[in-house]
Amino acid sequence: DSGVTQTPKHLITATGQRVTLRCSPRSGDLSVYWYQQSLDQGLQFLIQYYNGEERAKGNILERFSAQQFPDLHSELNLSSLELGDSALYFCASSEGRLSYNEQFFGPGTRLTVL
Amino acid sequence: GESVGLHLPTLSVQEGDNSIINCAYSNSASDYFIWYKQESGKGPQFIIDIRSNMDKRQGQRVTVLLNKTVKHLSLQIAATQPGDSAVYFCAERDPGGFKTIFGAGTRLFVKA
């Protein structure tokens, strides 16, 4: 158990809908990272937050957004969902703001868009 | 558990043998590299890391080798066990330290 929790574990929704994925980092970790893992794209870095502020952006679509709250939990919002958004979404956390710090991954949320 | 990539390169080894998993990275300016293990239904788990000022680092039963000349990483697992069966990813961190770029992954099967 990495200490990172993600909810829900599974999510099934329809195209055009909006969903919110939630992540609670390990106790004491200030950075939260979001990744998308699909069969044809592998693991793709989406975005990082450090202590409530956005630190780095990767291949995140404009339809997706994220935030980190004062209690350090984070939410990833996916809107206008398309079939291609079906994937595993992982959250990771680390102690510091640089990704040289070891990242601990949660168990993931499997999103299925029908 | 869920499948992680149906079209991954696959390495099949006999229990007790040594395994070598290879990875080519993309950015010659990357200065930090990590190997992750992902078991079915779980998130990636850190195995070992290496900075670009080193060419070898050893952990418990694992060794990472870095060849910057050809932008190549390898992960060696000694005395491979059934519990080592998983998908292994190499990852590089961009020089700014903010982004992690993952390789495609290699599926390791350990035959008992």
Side-chain angles (χ1 to χ4, degrees):
Chain A
D1 183 359
S2 67
V4 178
T5 60
Q6 289 186 249
T7 56
K9 189 172 175 61
H10 299 278
L11 195 50
I12 301 174
T13 188
T15 54
Q17 295 299 304
R18 173 190 168 94
V19 297
T20 297
L21 312 184
R22 183 187 169 102
C23 168
S24 292
R26 287 189 327 153
S27 177
D29 284 358
L30 298 179
S31 276
V32 169
Y33 309 79
W34 285 98
Y35 293 87
Q36 179 192 57
Q37 187 174 43
S38 56
L39 290 179
D40 59 350
Q41 292 290 321
L43 256 164
Q44 299 284 322
F45 167 72
L46 296 178
I47 198 164
Q48 179 203 357
Y49 279 81
Y50 173 77
N51 204 20
E53 294 188 2
E54 183 184 304
R55 287 298 297 177
K57 258 185 175 179
N59 303 321
I60 188 166
L61 300 172
E62 286 190 11
R63 300 183 286 110
F64 295 0
S65 65
Q67 54 184 328
Q68 186 179 29
F69 294 87
D71 68 352
L72 301 177
H73 90 271
S74 178
E75 293 181 355
L76 179 67
N77 301 296
L78 314 177
S79 62
S80 303
L81 285 167
E82 302 175 359
L83 295 177
D85 298 327
S86 295
L88 276 164
Y89 290 85
F90 288 103
C91 167
S93 74
S94 70
E95 192 176 65
R97 63 183 176 90
L98 294 179
S99 59
Y100 299 118
N101 305 123
E102 181 177 342
Q103 294 182 28
F104 296 85
F105 282 77
T109 293
R110 174 166 284 283
L111 173 67
T112 302
V113 182
L114 301 175
Chain B
E2 300 92 354
S3 296
V4 176
L6 296 179
H7 307 293
L8 295 174
T10 298
L11 175 65
S12 186
V13 300
Q14 198 69 37
E15 181 180 1
D17 287 352
N18 296 334
S19 304
I20 300 176
I21 300 171
N22 296 303
C23 173
Y25 63 92
S26 58
N27 187 347
S28 57
S30 293
D31 58 357
Y32 180 62
F33 305 89
I34 318 99
W35 280 99
Y36 287 92
K37 171 186 179 184
Q38 187 174 20
E39 297 174 279
S40 183
K42 296 184 179 180
Q45 179 185 10
F46 173 93
I47 302 174
I48 191 168
D49 59 1
I50 187 168
R51 290 194 181 262
S52 60
N53 61 354
M54 304 171 68
D55 53 21
K56 180 178 180 179
R57 189 159 189 233
Q58 288 185 288
Q60 188 177 16
R61 277 201 312 119
V62 294
T63 300
V64 55
L65 299 178
L66 174 63
N67 184 331
K68 294 182 288 292
T69 303
V70 294
K71 294 191 291 184
H72 183 267
L73 271 174
S74 68
L75 177 71
Q76 301 178 359
I77 305 173
T80 313
Q81 302 168 359
D84 295 327
S85 292
V87 176
Y88 289 82
F89 293 95
C90 67
E92 59 186 295
R93 302 273 168 89
D94 72 54
F98 296 122
K99 298 181 184 180
T100 304
I101 302 164
F102 282 80
T106 296
R107 189 182 301 277
L108 176 66
F109 282 113
V110 181
K111 296 175 286 188

